[in-house]
Amino acid sequence: MKKDGAMEVVMSQQLEELQEKIEYHFTDEKLLRNALTHSSYANEKHWPYEKNNERLEFLGDSVLGMVVADYLYRAHPDLPEGDLTRTRAALVCEGSLVEVAQQLGLGAYLKLGKGEDAGGGRTRPSILADAVEAVLAAVYLDGGIGSARKIIRRFILDREEEKRASRDYKTCLLYTSP
């Protein structure tokens, strides 16, 4: 029992640290815990599927895509649809999300199963990108679209010009798993 209590204190400290990094504090911290729980961990604990981050990842992907598309549409009235699509793809691709995860040190906060952890899951691009999307969905559910938009702006959109000018869109394909 003492061991579980000590682990809970460490987890709470980690959650607080991550909330400081993203500059958002959850009303319902369970959402953040869920966003950081990989299916491998939930499976080891025999938890139901809704205790892992996959459903949040699904929602986060859409929230991210909508916020980025809205921003690009409004910020670049001169760009044709093809350029908007390519820019959005570069901003929301796995490689871009991995950069966000690395900036936040997100891998250290993830709950992974023993095998996934031992196999390098904390640095696996797909796991990191999925976790970013899950965290965005958790913020959206907890604080609404405005809160999610602030985080997306800070970590993704504020770097849009740099990415649009210098990013080779094929780079995103390097992070895409077959």
Side-chain angles (χ1 to χ4, degrees), residues 12 21 33 36 46 49 52 60-61 73 84 86 89 93 98 109 115 124 126 136-137 153 164:
S12 291
K21 286 181 179 181
R33 290 174 187 270
L36 298 172
H46 305 288
Y49 71 89
N52 70 48
D61 177 64
Y73 180 84
L84 292 169
R86 282 186 292 280
C93 75
V98 168
Y109 302 103
R124 184 166 292 122
S126 61
L136 290 173
R153 177 175 290 280
R164 207 162 64 97

PDB file of all heavy atoms in Angstrom, residues 12 21 33 36 46 49 52 60-61 73 84 86 89 93 98 109 115 124 126 136-137 153 164:
ATOM      1  N   SER A  12       1.340  12.340  -9.527  1.00  0.00           N
ATOM      2  CA  SER A  12       0.708  13.653  -9.380  1.00  0.00           C
ATOM      3  C   SER A  12       1.700  14.776  -9.637  1.00  0.00           C
ATOM      4  O   SER A  12       1.358  15.782 -10.262  1.00  0.00           O
ATOM      5  CB  SER A  12       0.096  13.802  -7.990  1.00  0.00           C
ATOM      6  OG  SER A  12      -1.012  12.952  -7.861  1.00  0.00           O
ATOM      7  N   LYS A  21       4.052  22.800 -18.232  1.00  0.00           N
ATOM      8  CA  LYS A  21       4.681  22.895 -19.552  1.00  0.00           C
ATOM      9  C   LYS A  21       3.692  23.301 -20.628  1.00  0.00           C
ATOM     10  O   LYS A  21       4.031  24.081 -21.524  1.00  0.00           O
ATOM     11  CB  LYS A  21       5.335  21.563 -19.935  1.00  0.00           C
ATOM     12  CG  LYS A  21       6.606  21.266 -19.194  1.00  0.00           C
ATOM     13  CD  LYS A  21       7.193  19.947 -19.667  1.00  0.00           C
ATOM     14  CE  LYS A  21       8.486  19.613 -18.966  1.00  0.00           C
ATOM     15  NZ  LYS A  21       9.056  18.350 -19.462  1.00  0.00           N
ATOM     16  N   ARG A  33      -4.674  11.862 -17.236  1.00  0.00           N
ATOM     17  CA  ARG A  33      -4.160  10.518 -16.941  1.00  0.00           C
ATOM     18  C   ARG A  33      -4.515   9.549 -18.059  1.00  0.00           C
ATOM     19  O   ARG A  33      -3.687   8.749 -18.492  1.00  0.00           O
ATOM     20  CB  ARG A  33      -4.722  10.015 -15.610  1.00  0.00           C
ATOM     21  CG  ARG A  33      -4.185  10.721 -14.398  1.00  0.00           C
ATOM     22  CD  ARG A  33      -4.910  10.258 -13.131  1.00  0.00           C
ATOM     23  NE  ARG A  33      -4.510  11.038 -11.988  1.00  0.00           N
ATOM     24  CZ  ARG A  33      -3.483  10.722 -11.197  1.00  0.00           C
ATOM     25  NH1 ARG A  33      -2.790   9.639 -11.419  1.00  0.00           N
ATOM     26  NH2 ARG A  33      -3.168  11.496 -10.182  1.00  0.00           N
ATOM     27  N   LEU A  36      -2.450   9.916 -21.211  1.00  0.00           N
ATOM     28  CA  LEU A  36      -1.066   9.450 -21.095  1.00  0.00           C
ATOM     29  C   LEU A  36      -0.964   7.932 -20.924  1.00  0.00           C
ATOM     30  O   LEU A  36       0.130   7.405 -20.761  1.00  0.00           O
ATOM     31  CB  LEU A  36      -0.394  10.150 -19.907  1.00  0.00           C
ATOM     32  CG  LEU A  36      -0.299  11.668 -20.023  1.00  0.00           C
ATOM     33  CD1 LEU A  36       0.208  12.269 -18.720  1.00  0.00           C
ATOM     34  CD2 LEU A  36       0.578  12.076 -21.199  1.00  0.00           C
ATOM     35  N   HIS A  46      -5.485  -5.077 -17.300  1.00  0.00           N
ATOM     36  CA  HIS A  46      -6.812  -5.640 -17.601  1.00  0.00           C
ATOM     37  C   HIS A  46      -7.910  -4.589 -17.468  1.00  0.00           C
ATOM     38  O   HIS A  46      -9.010  -4.876 -17.014  1.00  0.00           O
ATOM     39  CB  HIS A  46      -7.113  -6.872 -16.733  1.00  0.00           C
ATOM     40  CG  HIS A  46      -6.076  -7.928 -16.836  1.00  0.00           C
ATOM     41  ND1 HIS A  46      -5.926  -8.714 -17.956  1.00  0.00           N
ATOM     42  CD2 HIS A  46      -5.104  -8.307 -15.974  1.00  0.00           C
ATOM     43  CE1 HIS A  46      -4.909  -9.550 -17.780  1.00  0.00           C
ATOM     44  NE2 HIS A  46      -4.391  -9.314 -16.589  1.00  0.00           N
ATOM     45  N   TYR A  49     -11.150  -0.873 -22.547  1.00  0.00           N
ATOM     46  CA  TYR A  49     -10.521  -0.082 -23.609  1.00  0.00           C
ATOM     47  C   TYR A  49     -10.625   1.419 -23.389  1.00  0.00           C
ATOM     48  O   TYR A  49      -9.755   2.165 -23.797  1.00  0.00           O
ATOM     49  CB  TYR A  49     -11.075  -0.450 -24.989  1.00  0.00           C
ATOM     50  CG  TYR A  49     -12.495   0.021 -25.223  1.00  0.00           C
ATOM     51  CD1 TYR A  49     -12.754   1.280 -25.759  1.00  0.00           C
ATOM     52  CD2 TYR A  49     -13.573  -0.785 -24.886  1.00  0.00           C
ATOM     53  CE1 TYR A  49     -14.051   1.712 -25.946  1.00  0.00           C
ATOM     54  CE2 TYR A  49     -14.865  -0.363 -25.073  1.00  0.00           C
ATOM     55  CZ  TYR A  49     -15.107   0.886 -25.606  1.00  0.00           C
ATOM     56  OH  TYR A  49     -16.384   1.316 -25.791  1.00  0.00           O
ATOM     57  N   ASN A  52      -7.578   3.557 -21.989  1.00  0.00           N
ATOM     58  CA  ASN A  52      -6.345   3.926 -22.690  1.00  0.00           C
ATOM     59  C   ASN A  52      -6.603   5.162 -23.546  1.00  0.00           C
ATOM     60  O   ASN A  52      -7.715   5.676 -23.601  1.00  0.00           O
ATOM     61  CB  ASN A  52      -5.772   2.747 -23.497  1.00  0.00           C
ATOM     62  CG  ASN A  52      -6.605   2.389 -24.714  1.00  0.00           C
ATOM     63  OD1 ASN A  52      -7.000   3.243 -25.500  1.00  0.00           O
ATOM     64  ND2 ASN A  52      -6.868   1.099 -24.888  1.00  0.00           N
ATOM     65  N   GLY A  60      -8.611  13.894 -30.735  1.00  0.00           N
ATOM     66  CA  GLY A  60      -7.552  14.897 -30.835  1.00  0.00           C
ATOM     67  C   GLY A  60      -7.097  15.145 -32.253  1.00  0.00           C
ATOM     68  O   GLY A  60      -6.773  16.276 -32.634  1.00  0.00           O
ATOM     69  N   ASP A  61      -7.073  14.098 -33.059  1.00  0.00           N
ATOM     70  CA  ASP A  61      -6.711  14.232 -34.469  1.00  0.00           C
ATOM     71  C   ASP A  61      -7.666  15.195 -35.170  1.00  0.00           C
ATOM     72  O   ASP A  61      -7.246  16.076 -35.923  1.00  0.00           O
ATOM     73  CB  ASP A  61      -6.732  12.850 -35.132  1.00  0.00           C
ATOM     74  CG  ASP A  61      -6.433  12.916 -36.615  1.00  0.00           C
ATOM     75  OD1 ASP A  61      -5.311  13.310 -36.992  1.00  0.00           O
ATOM     76  OD2 ASP A  61      -7.338  12.575 -37.408  1.00  0.00           O
ATOM     77  N   TYR A  73      -6.869  28.942 -43.084  1.00  0.00           N
ATOM     78  CA  TYR A  73      -7.890  29.573 -43.919  1.00  0.00           C
ATOM     79  C   TYR A  73      -7.971  31.074 -43.634  1.00  0.00           C
ATOM     80  O   TYR A  73      -8.019  31.892 -44.549  1.00  0.00           O
ATOM     81  CB  TYR A  73      -9.246  28.911 -43.666  1.00  0.00           C
ATOM     82  CG  TYR A  73     -10.364  29.486 -44.484  1.00  0.00           C
ATOM     83  CD1 TYR A  73     -10.589  29.051 -45.784  1.00  0.00           C
ATOM     84  CD2 TYR A  73     -11.186  30.482 -43.956  1.00  0.00           C
ATOM     85  CE1 TYR A  73     -11.612  29.585 -46.542  1.00  0.00           C
ATOM     86  CE2 TYR A  73     -12.209  31.027 -44.712  1.00  0.00           C
ATOM     87  CZ  TYR A  73     -12.424  30.583 -46.006  1.00  0.00           C
ATOM     88  OH  TYR A  73     -13.437  31.122 -46.759  1.00  0.00           O
ATOM     89  N   LEU A  84      -2.871  25.281 -49.012  1.00  0.00           N
ATOM     90  CA  LEU A  84      -3.421  25.150 -47.667  1.00  0.00           C
ATOM     91  C   LEU A  84      -3.378  23.695 -47.210  1.00  0.00           C
ATOM     92  O   LEU A  84      -3.003  23.406 -46.069  1.00  0.00           O
ATOM     93  CB  LEU A  84      -4.870  25.670 -47.620  1.00  0.00           C
ATOM     94  CG  LEU A  84      -5.062  27.165 -47.811  1.00  0.00           C
ATOM     95  CD1 LEU A  84      -6.541  27.488 -48.008  1.00  0.00           C
ATOM     96  CD2 LEU A  84      -4.484  27.942 -46.634  1.00  0.00           C
ATOM     97  N   ARG A  86      -1.354  21.251 -48.266  1.00  0.00           N
ATOM     98  CA  ARG A  86       0.024  20.815 -48.014  1.00  0.00           C
ATOM     99  C   ARG A  86       0.566  21.385 -46.709  1.00  0.00           C
ATOM    100  O   ARG A  86       1.244  20.708 -45.948  1.00  0.00           O
ATOM    101  CB  ARG A  86       0.921  21.186 -49.195  1.00  0.00           C
ATOM    102  CG  ARG A  86       0.770  20.245 -50.384  1.00  0.00           C
ATOM    103  CD  ARG A  86       1.781  20.546 -51.487  1.00  0.00           C
ATOM    104  NE  ARG A  86       1.524  21.819 -52.137  1.00  0.00           N
ATOM    105  CZ  ARG A  86       0.607  22.013 -53.088  1.00  0.00           C
ATOM    106  NH1 ARG A  86      -0.143  21.016 -53.484  1.00  0.00           N
ATOM    107  NH2 ARG A  86       0.450  23.196 -53.649  1.00  0.00           N
ATOM    108  N   ALA A  89      -1.064  19.573 -43.834  1.00  0.00           N
ATOM    109  CA  ALA A  89      -0.485  18.225 -43.724  1.00  0.00           C
ATOM    110  C   ALA A  89       0.868  18.262 -43.029  1.00  0.00           C
ATOM    111  O   ALA A  89       1.176  17.407 -42.195  1.00  0.00           O
ATOM    112  CB  ALA A  89      -0.362  17.587 -45.107  1.00  0.00           C
ATOM    113  N   CYS A  93       1.256  16.388 -39.369  1.00  0.00           N
ATOM    114  CA  CYS A  93       1.815  15.058 -39.635  1.00  0.00           C
ATOM    115  C   CYS A  93       2.536  14.514 -38.397  1.00  0.00           C
ATOM    116  O   CYS A  93       2.847  15.239 -37.450  1.00  0.00           O
ATOM    117  CB  CYS A  93       2.754  15.094 -40.831  1.00  0.00           C
ATOM    118  SG  CYS A  93       4.374  15.833 -40.528  1.00  0.00           S
ATOM    119  N   VAL A  98       5.671  14.651 -33.282  1.00  0.00           N
ATOM    120  CA  VAL A  98       6.819  14.103 -32.550  1.00  0.00           C
ATOM    121  C   VAL A  98       7.695  15.248 -32.033  1.00  0.00           C
ATOM    122  O   VAL A  98       8.178  15.207 -30.903  1.00  0.00           O
ATOM    123  CB  VAL A  98       7.629  13.118 -33.423  1.00  0.00           C
ATOM    124  CG1 VAL A  98       8.972  12.775 -32.787  1.00  0.00           C
ATOM    125  CG2 VAL A  98       6.818  11.846 -33.670  1.00  0.00           C
ATOM    126  N   TYR A 109       6.274  10.928 -19.461  1.00  0.00           N
ATOM    127  CA  TYR A 109       5.014  10.950 -18.711  1.00  0.00           C
ATOM    128  C   TYR A 109       4.079   9.793 -19.062  1.00  0.00           C
ATOM    129  O   TYR A 109       3.068   9.600 -18.404  1.00  0.00           O
ATOM    130  CB  TYR A 109       4.268  12.268 -18.967  1.00  0.00           C
ATOM    131  CG  TYR A 109       5.072  13.483 -18.592  1.00  0.00           C
ATOM    132  CD1 TYR A 109       5.685  14.262 -19.558  1.00  0.00           C
ATOM    133  CD2 TYR A 109       5.230  13.850 -17.256  1.00  0.00           C
ATOM    134  CE1 TYR A 109       6.426  15.388 -19.215  1.00  0.00           C
ATOM    135  CE2 TYR A 109       5.968  14.968 -16.903  1.00  0.00           C
ATOM    136  CZ  TYR A 109       6.563  15.726 -17.887  1.00  0.00           C
ATOM    137  OH  TYR A 109       7.293  16.831 -17.540  1.00  0.00           O
ATOM    138  N   GLY A 115       6.577  -4.428 -21.822  1.00  0.00           N
ATOM    139  CA  GLY A 115       7.190  -4.770 -23.108  1.00  0.00           C
ATOM    140  C   GLY A 115       7.373  -3.553 -23.995  1.00  0.00           C
ATOM    141  O   GLY A 115       8.415  -3.389 -24.632  1.00  0.00           O
ATOM    142  N   ARG A 124       9.179   6.048 -29.532  1.00  0.00           N
ATOM    143  CA  ARG A 124       8.574   5.608 -30.791  1.00  0.00           C
ATOM    144  C   ARG A 124       7.693   6.727 -31.350  1.00  0.00           C
ATOM    145  O   ARG A 124       6.778   7.192 -30.683  1.00  0.00           O
ATOM    146  CB  ARG A 124       7.769   4.327 -30.581  1.00  0.00           C
ATOM    147  CG  ARG A 124       7.193   3.784 -31.888  1.00  0.00           C
ATOM    148  CD  ARG A 124       6.693   2.365 -31.789  1.00  0.00           C
ATOM    149  NE  ARG A 124       7.847   1.496 -31.597  1.00  0.00           N
ATOM    150  CZ  ARG A 124       7.984   0.690 -30.541  1.00  0.00           C
ATOM    151  NH1 ARG A 124       7.066   0.628 -29.611  1.00  0.00           N
ATOM    152  NH2 ARG A 124       9.050  -0.079 -30.430  1.00  0.00           N
ATOM    153  N   SER A 126       5.206   6.944 -33.475  1.00  0.00           N
ATOM    154  CA  SER A 126       3.753   6.766 -33.510  1.00  0.00           C
ATOM    155  C   SER A 126       3.135   6.925 -32.127  1.00  0.00           C
ATOM    156  O   SER A 126       2.057   7.532 -31.981  1.00  0.00           O
ATOM    157  CB  SER A 126       3.381   5.406 -34.100  1.00  0.00           C
ATOM    158  OG  SER A 126       3.923   4.355 -33.317  1.00  0.00           O
ATOM    159  N   LEU A 136      -4.293  16.750 -26.545  1.00  0.00           N
ATOM    160  CA  LEU A 136      -5.103  17.830 -27.122  1.00  0.00           C
ATOM    161  C   LEU A 136      -6.593  17.550 -26.937  1.00  0.00           C
ATOM    162  O   LEU A 136      -7.369  18.449 -26.611  1.00  0.00           O
ATOM    163  CB  LEU A 136      -4.777  18.024 -28.603  1.00  0.00           C
ATOM    164  CG  LEU A 136      -3.403  18.603 -28.907  1.00  0.00           C
ATOM    165  CD1 LEU A 136      -3.134  18.590 -30.403  1.00  0.00           C
ATOM    166  CD2 LEU A 136      -3.270  20.009 -28.338  1.00  0.00           C
ATOM    167  N   ALA A 137      -7.011  16.311 -27.133  1.00  0.00           N
ATOM    168  CA  ALA A 137      -8.418  15.948 -26.924  1.00  0.00           C
ATOM    169  C   ALA A 137      -8.807  16.099 -25.464  1.00  0.00           C
ATOM    170  O   ALA A 137      -9.911  16.584 -25.160  1.00  0.00           O
ATOM    171  CB  ALA A 137      -8.672  14.513 -27.392  1.00  0.00           C
ATOM    172  N   ARG A 153      -1.853  26.582 -30.970  1.00  0.00           N
ATOM    173  CA  ARG A 153      -1.177  27.795 -31.459  1.00  0.00           C
ATOM    174  C   ARG A 153       0.248  27.855 -30.918  1.00  0.00           C
ATOM    175  O   ARG A 153       1.195  28.079 -31.656  1.00  0.00           O
ATOM    176  CB  ARG A 153      -1.929  29.063 -31.067  1.00  0.00           C
ATOM    177  CG  ARG A 153      -1.205  30.337 -31.516  1.00  0.00           C
ATOM    178  CD  ARG A 153      -1.987  31.591 -31.256  1.00  0.00           C
ATOM    179  NE  ARG A 153      -3.154  31.731 -32.094  1.00  0.00           N
ATOM    180  CZ  ARG A 153      -3.123  32.164 -33.359  1.00  0.00           C
ATOM    181  NH1 ARG A 153      -1.979  32.470 -33.923  1.00  0.00           N
ATOM    182  NH2 ARG A 153      -4.232  32.283 -34.047  1.00  0.00           N
ATOM    183  N   ARG A 164       6.418  26.171 -43.132  1.00  0.00           N
ATOM    184  CA  ARG A 164       5.950  26.370 -44.495  1.00  0.00           C
ATOM    185  C   ARG A 164       7.110  26.737 -45.411  1.00  0.00           C
ATOM    186  O   ARG A 164       7.185  26.298 -46.551  1.00  0.00           O
ATOM    187  CB  ARG A 164       4.882  27.471 -44.530  1.00  0.00           C
ATOM    188  CG  ARG A 164       3.913  27.319 -45.658  1.00  0.00           C
ATOM    189  CD  ARG A 164       2.672  28.131 -45.414  1.00  0.00           C
ATOM    190  NE  ARG A 164       2.901  29.549 -45.359  1.00  0.00           N
ATOM    191  CZ  ARG A 164       2.727  30.367 -46.386  1.00  0.00           C
ATOM    192  NH1 ARG A 164       2.316  29.902 -47.521  1.00  0.00           N
ATOM    193  NH2 ARG A 164       2.955  31.648 -46.246  1.00  0.00           N
TER     194      ARG A 164
END
